[in-house]
């Protein structure tokens, strides 16, 4: 006993200073003492950890004597009290895990099931969908909880759809919202309302996405002496445009994106001598109706029509025109 209580005191000190508890506990367990004679002490140690917010340490303390639950009704009673305390603290997963340690019969398994479902609903009420999903899955080991699991999966899809909506990925958001029941609501977001808003602004939905294709560039030069023109035109490095649209409830859309294209920077009498570089330009503008074309600055205009995204780039220098489409 003197050896046990010496190591036990080290555990209590570690709890009070909130440091090194697991090491102290492992040292106590490694002594090989008969813990069945010290059940009350180990439970008290777990309760002390719980009071200090060290829930992993609390579980480890309870676990050390959980094997004696069949022969000691006090353990079951103490663990139920600990679980109730953890529920009050909002530590739902720990509360259920404590009960799982002593779920030895049908009554114990039912208690785990009921507590897990109650805690899952609490987690949902607080907006913690991932925690609720985990708790429903635990409950499902002790009874049928597929309804809760399915509901959480729908909520996760709703949240992912809302993230796409907020990020301006309207096409992806529309597809995701469309797969959900119209009456599904969580966190102030209703699937049906989002479905209606997106379908009433379908032109903005269809506009979003990544556009790719070969870009066509034309370079011309006019001679100062003769007035005659020479030109080269052809397709250079692939161009792309990435377009997003953030839609508000009043129908205002903020269209944003980035275009990348190859821009010729000089003229040569042979096509191999043409020089240029990859150029990027971002744009953003607010609108309530889809425009035919928009000037996004620096001599660049964009137009979107029939699933086609067109960027026009034009620079006029002295006796030299550069045109990109």
């Amino acid at each position: 006993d003197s050896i046990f209580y010496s190591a036990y005191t080290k555990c209590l000190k570690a709890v009070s200073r909130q440091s090194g508890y697991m090491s102290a506990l492992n040292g106590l367990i490694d002594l090989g003492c008969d813990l069945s004679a010290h059940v009350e002490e180990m439970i008290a140690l777990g309760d002390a950890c719980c009071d200090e917010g060290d829930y992993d340490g609390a579980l480890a303390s309870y676990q050390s004597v959980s094997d004696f639950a069949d022969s000691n009704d006090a353990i079951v009673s103490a663990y139920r009290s600990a679980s109730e305390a953890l529920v009050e603290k909002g530590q739902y997963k720990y509360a259920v895990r404590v009960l799982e340690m002593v779920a030895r019969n049908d009554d114990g398994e039912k208690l785990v099931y009921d507590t897990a479902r109650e805690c899952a609903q609490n987690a949902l009420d607080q907006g913690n969908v991932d925690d609720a999903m985990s708790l429903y899955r635990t409950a499902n080991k002790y009874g049928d909880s597929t309804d809760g699991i399915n509901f959480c999966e729908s909520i996760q899809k709703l949240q992912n759809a809302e993230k796409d909506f907020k990020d301006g990925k309207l096409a992806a958001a529309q597809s995701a919202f469309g797969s959900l029941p119209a009456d599904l609501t969580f966190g102030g977001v209703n699937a049906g309302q989002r479905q209606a808003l997106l379908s009433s602004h379908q032109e903005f939905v269809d506009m979003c996405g990544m556009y790719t294709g070969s870009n066509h560039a034309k370079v011309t030069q006019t001679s100062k002496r003769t007035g005659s023109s020479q030109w080269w035109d052809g397709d250079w490095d692939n161009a792309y445009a990435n377009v997003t649209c953030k839609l508000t409830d009043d129908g205002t859309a903020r269209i944003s994106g980035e275009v990348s294209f190859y821009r010729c920077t000089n003229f040569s009498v042979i096509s191999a001598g043409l020089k240029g570089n990859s150029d990027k330009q971002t744009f953003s503008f607010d609108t309530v109706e889809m425009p035919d074309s928009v000037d996004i600055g620096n001599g660049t205009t964009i137009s979107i029509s029939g699933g086609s995204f067109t960027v026009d780039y034009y620079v006029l220098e002295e006796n030299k025109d550069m045109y990109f489409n």
Side-chain angles (χ1 to χ4, degrees), residues 113 117 120-121 124 129 132-137 139-140 144-156:
Y113 174 80
R117 286 185 61 90
Q121 185 59 56
L124 277 178
V129 182
M133 172 69 86
S134 176
L135 287 160
Y136 276 126
R137 284 175 173 165
N140 203 51
D144 185 6
S145 200
T146 53
D147 59 333
I149 294 172
N150 292 338
F151 182 70
C152 286
E153 288 176 346
S154 294
I155 294 300
Q156 289 175 335

Side-chain angles (χ1 to χ4, degrees), residues 45-62:
L45 201 56
D47 292 344
C49 287
C50 189
D51 291 339
E52 293 296 331
D54 182 0
Y55 304 115
D56 287 325
L59 286 182
S61 299
Y62 298 142

Side-chain angles (χ1 to χ4, degrees), residues 39-40 43 69 72-79:
V39 168
E40 292 184 4
I43 290 176
N72 192 331
D73 291 339
I75 295 179
V76 177
S77 177
Y79 283 18

Side-chain angles (χ1 to χ4, degrees), residues 74-284:
I75 295 179
V76 177
S77 177
Y79 283 18
R80 290 185 178 184
S81 297
S83 177
E84 291 172 359
L86 287 164
V87 170
E88 292 179 2
K89 293 175 181 289
Q91 298 297 323
Y92 303 127
K93 290 192 288 186
Y94 287 102
V96 173
R97 287 172 63 185
V98 167
L99 292 179
E100 284 190 286
M101 293 180 185
V102 290
R104 300 287 198 268
N105 52 42
D106 290 344
D107 289 341
E109 291 184 358
K110 185 178 185 306
L111 180 61
V112 175
Y113 174 80
D114 291 341
T115 303
R117 286 185 61 90
E118 175 189 351
C119 289
Q121 185 59 56
N122 290 345
L124 277 178
D125 293 342
Q126 296 168 8
N128 299 323
V129 182
D130 290 343
D131 286 350
M133 172 69 86
S134 176
L135 287 160
Y136 276 126
R137 284 175 173 165
T138 297
N140 203 51
K141 295 188 296 184
Y142 300 93
D144 185 6
S145 200
T146 53
D147 59 333
I149 294 172
N150 292 338
F151 182 70
C152 286
E153 288 176 346
S154 294
I155 294 300
Q156 289 175 335
K157 291 177 181 178
L158 182 75
Q159 291 179 321
N160 290 334
E162 181 67 6
K163 183 178 185 305
D164 283 338
F165 179 81
K166 295 294 187 184
D167 289 344
K169 302 174 182 178
L170 299 190
Q174 185 180 54
S175 176
F177 282 124
S179 68
L180 297 171
D183 62 351
L184 181 64
T185 301
F186 189 80
V189 177
N190 173 260
Q193 290 176 352
R194 285 288 187 254
Q195 292 166 6
L197 178 64
L198 290 166
S199 62
S200 64
H201 295 79
Q202 193 64 46
E203 69 275 19
F204 293 117
V205 175
D206 295 339
M207 173 200 60
C208 295
M210 178 71 76
Y211 298 77
T212 60
S214 63
N215 60 317
H216 186 76
K218 180 176 181 179
V219 183
T220 68
Q221 185 174 50
T222 303
S223 170
K224 289 182 180 180
R225 183 174 58 85
T226 66
S228 63
S229 296
Q230 292 179 298
W231 66 87
W232 293 106
D233 64 306
D235 296 324
W236 285 281
D237 299 341
N238 281 343
Y240 73 84
N242 187 27
V243 186
T244 60
C245 177
K246 295 185 178 180
L247 197 61
T248 61
D249 290 334
D250 66 4
T252 301
R254 172 168 285 270
I255 300 174
S256 305
E258 178 184 82
V259 293
S260 175
F261 51 88
Y262 186 82
R263 178 168 66 91
C264 293
T265 56
N266 79 316
F267 183 83
S268 172
V269 295
I270 59 173
S271 61
L274 290 174
K275 302 296 183 183
N277 60 271
S278 181
D279 202 358
K280 287 185 179 181
Q281 184 151 342
T282 60
F283 62 89
S284 183

